[in-house]
Amino acid sequence: MAPSTLNLACACRQITGTIDISNCSLPLDLEFCHCYNCRHSSGQLAISCFYCPRAPDNGPPTLKITSKEQPVAYKSSEELIRHFCGACGASVYISIPETGDYEICSGLLDQAEGILTFKQHIFVANTKDGGLSSWIEGPAWTGWHEQSEFFQPPTKPAETTEKSISAQEGRESNEKAKLKCSCHCRGVEFYITRPDQDSTHVFFHPPEPKPQHETQEQNEGEWWLRANGTKYLAGFCVCNDCRLATGYDLQAWMFAPKKNIRQLDGKEIDFTMGTLKTYSHSPGAYRDFCGKCGATVFWRHEEKKEGLIDISVGLLDADEGVRAEEWLEWWTKKVEFEELALNKSLVAKLKDGLKKWENK
């Protein structure tokens, strides 16, 4: 029997709520928005949302925030207001004042199978390279759905190999290159530099076993470096901590040494800079997000993983597109913690798309 009520809660449970779905047909349509505002106000490659069902006779949306605390509101445009937890940073919902609609962020629900089904991608043209739509197959509109054209994805760029570029040549030619990153409100801004000779200086306590995403082509222990040391690794995590602290099912991270992440003035990254806020979900583990617009920024565990930082990929402003393939090599063989995924059918689509994309 289908449930009549959905429950939602963020990672810290400061925000909880319910959605009445007794008056609607299941499953509900889930869509990914790829626009600049959504990416930079969330830190995601694309945000996954569904329209909140309304009460009978076109009544108000049935979302009820049941917690004492209310989400922080951030007006990202004239049309949209984003609501997120001020303690852990999780995106909760987006309100549309003109229509009175709510779009619910899919990652905070207590169930997804049979409740949500992927329908489409919108505003994909804003990505330049197709972004997440290249990996989750489905209708991909250049703008608003059914009011624009289908996006035509570019061909996969040629991969950088050890034969085509040496580590030394890459470092010399790119030593001044900077990849700019920012949240939507620009309360958090920084840049990433190319890997260099010091990018291997990361320490694990205790020493970490060889990760699943390390290959024989990589130097032992330096799994975060790719393409002969000229790019960084990026990949997806669908663990419960990421889902509940971001509000979304699919978290894309890139991994870079702390020394390669700089403030705009060139100083080493400071986790108290600008509008950054920090949430600790377990001893020694920290998530950093923008306290004004709610964007996920960093994940770090400086006690166990000294000097290596996870950066939310949706903040990157790469000239070539949102996948930043001149900077990143995407791990296509596994989605981390897929066994913990709430929306298993969605993760299965992602896995299948990554495999097809790799073999193109």
Side-chain angles (χ1 to χ4, degrees):
M1 176 180 290
S4 60
T5 302
L6 297 177
N7 298 302
L8 60 84
C10 63
C12 69
R13 299 194 64 84
Q14 181 168 293
I15 303 298
T16 59
T18 62
I19 301 171
D20 184 356
I21 57 173
S22 60
N23 191 48
C24 64
S25 299
L26 299 179
L28 302 171
D29 290 335
L30 181 70
E31 68 180 16
F32 284 92
C33 182
H34 298 250
C35 76
Y36 177 93
N37 287 353
C38 285
R39 285 186 284 109
H40 284 264
S41 61
S42 66
Q44 308 299 302
L45 268 184
I47 67 166
S48 52
C49 294
F50 64 95
Y51 277 92
C52 182
R54 286 178 170 270
D57 300 322
N58 200 32
T62 60
L63 170 67
K64 293 182 179 179
I65 299 299
T66 56
S67 53
K68 179 180 178 181
E69 297 293 332
Q70 295 294 305
V72 175
Y74 171 70
K75 188 174 183 179
S76 60
S77 67
E78 291 301 317
E79 295 81 19
L80 302 178
I81 301 174
R82 300 171 192 271
H83 305 261
F84 65 95
C85 174
C88 68
S91 296
V92 182
Y93 69 100
I94 301 170
S95 59
I96 309 173
E98 182 177 355
T99 64
D101 284 312
Y102 290 169
E103 293 187 69
I104 309 298
C105 304
S106 63
L108 302 188
L109 298 183
D110 60 347
Q111 53 189 312
E113 295 301 324
I115 304 298
L116 303 176
T117 184
F118 167 67
K119 181 180 182 181
Q120 62 196 357
H121 300 275
I122 60 174
F123 292 100
V124 182
N126 197 249
T127 68
K128 297 183 182 178
D129 57 15
L132 185 64
S133 73
S134 298
W135 298 325
I136 296 182
E137 294 185 356
W141 302 91
T142 56
W144 190 251
H145 60 83
E146 300 176 359
Q147 297 180 12
S148 58
E149 300 176 347
F150 285 120
F151 179 76
Q152 299 299 319
T155 57
K156 185 180 179 182
E159 294 182 358
T160 303
T161 67
E162 294 187 10
K163 294 182 180 179
S164 63
I165 183 171
S166 71
Q168 184 62 30
E169 289 172 338
R171 287 164 183 158
E172 289 178 355
S173 62
N174 295 303
E175 62 180 355
K176 294 184 179 179
K178 299 177 182 179
L179 178 55
K180 294 182 179 179
C181 311
S182 67
C183 66
H184 185 269
C185 71
R186 297 195 175 274
V188 179
E189 295 184 278
F190 58 96
Y191 66 85
I192 302 165
T193 60
R194 290 285 184 182
D196 55 30
Q197 62 271 19
D198 294 326
S199 298
T200 62
H201 297 171
V202 172
F203 304 96
F204 296 91
H205 310 287
E208 185 179 78
K210 191 171 183 177
Q212 293 177 326
H213 43 247
E214 185 178 341
T215 68
Q216 294 180 351
E217 290 76 21
Q218 294 304 120
N219 294 327
E220 181 73 26
E222 298 170 9
W223 52 263
W224 54 94
L225 300 180
R226 286 295 192 262
N228 199 29
T230 62
K231 296 183 180 182
Y232 299 109
L233 177 70
F236 288 92
C237 182
V238 295
C239 75
N240 289 326
D241 287 338
C242 283
R243 177 174 60 83
L244 295 174
T246 65
Y248 300 106
D249 296 283
L250 310 176
Q251 171 62 46
W253 296 112
M254 64 163 286
F255 311 96
K258 184 178 178 181
K259 72 165 298 296
N260 293 106
I261 310 170
R262 296 284 169 174
Q263 299 181 65
L264 295 187
D265 60 6
K267 295 180 180 179
E268 186 175 287
I269 197 69
D270 178 356
F271 297 112
T272 64
M273 68 179 188
T275 54
L276 268 184
K277 290 187 68 175
T278 299
Y279 167 68
S280 180
H281 58 89
S282 61
Y286 303 98
R287 291 179 179 272
D288 302 292
F289 64 96
C290 175
K292 181 177 180 180
C293 67
T296 296
V297 183
F298 303 119
W299 184 90
R300 51 197 169 91
H301 201 311
E302 296 180 341
E303 295 177 7
K304 291 184 178 180
K305 195 170 64 171
E306 181 182 350
L308 190 65
I309 309 298
D310 299 8
I311 305 170
S312 202
V313 176
L315 305 180
L316 278 52
D317 279 322
D319 292 337
E320 66 273 19
V322 300
R323 292 198 299 263
E325 291 179 73
E326 293 297 320
W327 288 81
L328 307 179
E329 180 178 305
W330 286 86
W331 178 241
T332 58
K333 299 188 182 299
K334 182 178 175 60
V335 175
E336 290 297 322
F337 297 104
E338 60 182 278
E339 69 278 6
L340 300 178
L342 185 72
N343 194 332
K344 296 187 182 301
S345 60
L346 182 65
V347 173
K349 285 180 178 291
L350 174 62
K351 283 185 61 182
D352 184 59
L354 287 169
K355 183 177 180 180
K356 290 179 179 178
W357 187 76
E358 180 187 30
N359 294 330
K360 284 185 178 180

